[in-house]
Amino acid sequence: MLPFVEASAKGEHRATVIWLHGLGDSGHGFLPVANALQLPDSLGVRFIFPHAPERPMTINGGMRMASWYDIKSLDLDKRADEQGVRESAEQVQALIKQEIASGIAPDRIILAGFSQGGVVTLHLAPRLPYALAGVMALSTYMCVPAKLHEEKQQASLNIFMAHGQKDNVVPLFAGELARDTLTTNGYVPSWTTYAMAHEVCYDELADIRNWLIATLG
């Protein structure tokens, strides 16, 4: 099971958000978001922030760092190592199964991810045998988009996508390609861009808060 940090639900635990960080970060990086969102206590949201395992990173000369998968090239079509993405997706699915076993139904679970974490999120959610409450894909792109049509198990998904207009790590067009791939496969993702780089900004957090309340309320 992936190690994680968490922000416990205030009051009765009624819903869960599993939030995956980006390259070189840890679950601690997004932990402050749980309080910053100021969600109503009545939603009973527990936040889980897993830590990616350390692995050698090809683009960094083999140096080990926290990563959901290896990056062998910065070329978009080769950036996400498919085997690593699939292995991480299985580990995250184990966390989801644990929440379901604890009594939280899939339609009360949201899977979120930033950058690398978003790649795993967009890979896993359509391929699950059950529908989640929603998916957040932030400043991210897609692994093996051509395989989604054959591998998807969900006909529809509630997807929130956001990207920085000045992102020099994951270019805006990479997020747009992921959005368009989802659209081609029958999904209707919401899509918002912000005047920011590879980060999360205040306006984005406000929109995330509104989306979470609408989804879980």
Side-chain angles (χ1 to χ4, degrees), residues 38-208:
Q38 297 183 333
L39 295 177
D41 293 356
S42 60
L43 292 182
V45 180
R46 177 195 188 201
F47 285 85
I48 295 174
F49 300 95
H51 307 305
E54 288 192 354
R55 68 184 77 221
M57 188 58 47
T58 299
I59 61 167
N60 284 344
M63 182 178 70
R64 295 183 66 85
M65 58 193 309
S67 176
W68 297 109
Y69 52 86
D70 188 18
I71 298 178
K72 299 179 180 179
S73 168
L74 291 178
D75 294 340
L76 184 61
D77 60 341
K78 304 173 184 175
R79 186 175 297 194
D81 171 54
E82 181 180 352
Q83 180 179 347
V85 171
R86 292 186 184 276
E87 289 173 355
S88 289
E90 288 183 5
Q91 291 179 300
V92 174
Q93 186 173 358
L95 286 177
I96 296 173
K97 288 179 177 178
Q98 181 174 268
E99 287 302 289
I100 294 173
S102 74
I104 303 300
D107 63 3
R108 301 293 297 170
I109 297 174
I110 285 176
L111 184 59
F114 174 81
S115 194
Q116 263 206 351
V119 173
V120 176
T121 293
L122 284 180
H123 183 86
L124 176 59
R127 293 169 170 82
L128 289 172
Y130 39 76
L132 299 178
V135 178
M136 283 196 295
L138 313 177
S139 301
T140 193
Y141 55 105
M142 188 173 285
C143 176
V144 292
K147 296 184 179 182
L148 179 58
H149 178 72
E150 292 185 357
E151 295 181 355
K152 66 178 183 177
Q153 296 195 54
Q154 297 303 314
S156 64
L157 279 172
N158 176 17
I159 307 174
F160 176 97
M161 298 187 74
H163 214 104
Q165 299 162 2
K166 304 174 183 178
D167 195 328
N168 60 353
V169 177
V170 179
L172 179 61
F173 76 83
E176 292 172 336
L177 286 173
R179 175 203 63 194
D180 294 346
T181 297
L182 290 167
T183 302
T184 300
N185 280 273
Y187 303 112
V188 187
S190 70
W191 170 260
T192 308
T193 62
Y194 304 88
M196 64 178 185
H198 195 61
E199 57 191 325
V200 176
C201 67
Y202 177 82
D203 288 344
E204 181 181 7
L205 282 178
D207 289 340
I208 288 172

